[in-house]
Amino acid sequence: MVLSRRQFLAAASAAVAATAIPVRSSWAKYDPDRFPGFKVGLQSYSLRGFDVDKAINTAGELGCAHLEFYGGHFSPGSSAEQIEAMKKKMAEHGMAMYGHGVHGFSKDHAKNEALFKFAKAAGIKNLSADPSPDSFESLNKLVDQYDIRIAIHNHGPSHRYNTALDVLNAVKDHDPRIGACADLGHYIRSGEDPVEVIRLLKGRLFGIHLKDFAEQKERTKGVILGEGHLDVVGVFRALKQVEFPADGCLSLEYEENPKDPVDDIRQCLAIASEACKTAAS
């Protein structure tokens, strides 16, 4: 059965209402039936108002499959002991680490390699990135040596990787493991259709930041998924069509209300779950 956007939003509202219960004080095991065919996690920047332990506990309580860390929660400068401690902590919470970023890369090969060594030690497959044009010679060597992907993250209007075509033009002559982390909210700000972006990036799409904005303009407000310009069902249908990799980094990122975003994040996850189930039906 194919639901109209209006029917989906009605169903999603019911799903959100069902989440309006106190969160358990224990970790919720990730339920694969919640997002059929996908492993949905959280960009830890969404919880930047929390320390790392609270962020991990919160993601576990929300039933996330993984955390995509940003440097403020898990530093690339961590020691070997700190990396092993983080891996153990995440395993205890039943969560994986599929991604980390966003990282700048330059022509400084040694500095670039340090990030790859960190990712390899942590078991991270995808590094979201904002690489300078002179970095690609170095990155070609490193993705081959470490078998870790670079996923270029768009940051909206005025950014050098503003549109999907900007990303494709940047990566087209390089190793196929250099591709995109599509921030769907920023593509909305750039006036692009996130569903079409996903289709355009087929074969080079290694990361997604699920995000919605109220308006298609540079300065706008982040909103709960589906309340702005994001066709959430269409996103999951497109991800299935382009065969988004099983070890890609599919993360909800919610930037509003940093001091207490948990209820909003819970609503977004409920809507994403309903959309994923609808797309699979």
Side-chain angles (χ1 to χ4, degrees):
M1 179 179 65
V2 178
L3 297 181
S4 69
R5 184 173 174 86
R6 181 176 295 179
Q7 288 171 321
F8 165 72
L9 290 173
S13 296
V16 169
T19 68
I21 56 176
V23 177
R24 297 194 309 275
S25 59
S26 61
W27 308 315
K29 181 178 174 61
Y30 183 73
D31 178 6
D33 294 330
R34 190 180 182 195
F35 297 97
F38 297 98
K39 295 177 180 178
V40 177
L42 187 68
Q43 222 299 342
S44 80
Y45 186 76
S46 310
L47 301 173
R48 62 197 179 278
F50 299 173
D51 65 31
V52 64
D53 287 331
K54 187 174 180 180
I56 293 170
N57 287 340
T58 299
E61 290 169 349
L62 290 167
C64 294
H66 67 88
L67 262 180
E68 177 187 356
F69 281 105
Y70 90 109
H73 279 148
F74 187 19
S75 171
S78 298
S79 67
E81 293 77 13
Q82 289 170 325
I83 291 171
E84 288 304 312
M86 180 63 79
K87 289 167 68 176
K88 181 180 179 181
K89 188 177 297 186
M90 291 293 289
E92 288 172 347
H93 286 67
M95 288 187 292
M97 291 187 285
Y98 291 134
H100 195 286
V102 177
H103 297 287
F105 289 93
S106 69
K107 64 180 180 181
D108 186 335
H109 186 75
K111 188 175 180 180
N112 295 341
E113 188 171 15
L115 284 167
F116 277 79
K117 288 180 176 178
F118 160 75
K120 194 72 171 181
I124 292 168
K125 182 70 175 179
N126 308 279
L127 291 172
S128 59
D130 180 12
S132 62
D134 63 4
S135 69
F136 286 99
E137 181 179 354
S138 170
L139 293 178
N140 279 326
K141 297 174 183 176
L142 292 169
V143 296
D144 185 53
Q145 179 180 349
Y146 290 91
D147 193 25
I148 291 171
R149 303 183 184 112
I150 287 292
I152 295 179
H153 183 283
N154 56 300
H155 281 100
S158 303
H159 186 245
R160 59 186 162 197
Y161 304 115
N162 180 31
T163 69
L165 287 178
D166 291 332
V167 175
L168 287 173
N169 286 332
V171 306
K172 64 182 180 180
D173 296 324
H174 299 295
D175 190 290
R177 286 163 288 196
I178 300 177
C181 171
D183 187 306
L184 304 184
H186 290 319
Y187 277 125
I188 288 170
R189 291 176 55 233
S190 298
E192 298 217 295
D193 176 0
V195 173
E196 183 59 26
V197 164
I198 290 170
R199 294 184 179 127
L200 283 170
L201 294 172
K202 180 178 181 179
R204 293 276 191 165
L205 186 60
F206 310 135
I208 289 286
H209 285 175
L210 279 172
K211 189 187 298 179
D212 201 355
F213 280 104
E215 298 172 276
Q216 292 178 301
K217 62 183 185 181
E218 183 165 5
R219 295 189 178 277
T220 182
K221 180 178 173 57
V223 294
I224 302 296
L225 295 185
E227 292 186 1
H229 284 267
L230 190 68
D231 176 1
V232 193
V233 175
V235 163
F236 281 101
R237 285 182 177 146
L239 287 172
K240 185 175 181 180
Q241 290 167 358
V242 303
E243 298 178 333
F244 184 77
D247 59 356
C249 194
L250 173 52
S251 307
L252 171 71
E253 184 175 42
Y254 187 75
E255 296 185 350
E256 306 302 312
N257 194 19
K259 292 184 179 179
D260 189 17
V262 177
D263 285 343
D264 291 347
I265 291 170
R266 190 181 296 114
Q267 289 183 58
C268 287
L269 288 170
I271 289 166
S273 174
E274 193 69 22
C276 190
K277 292 173 182 176
T278 300
S281 62

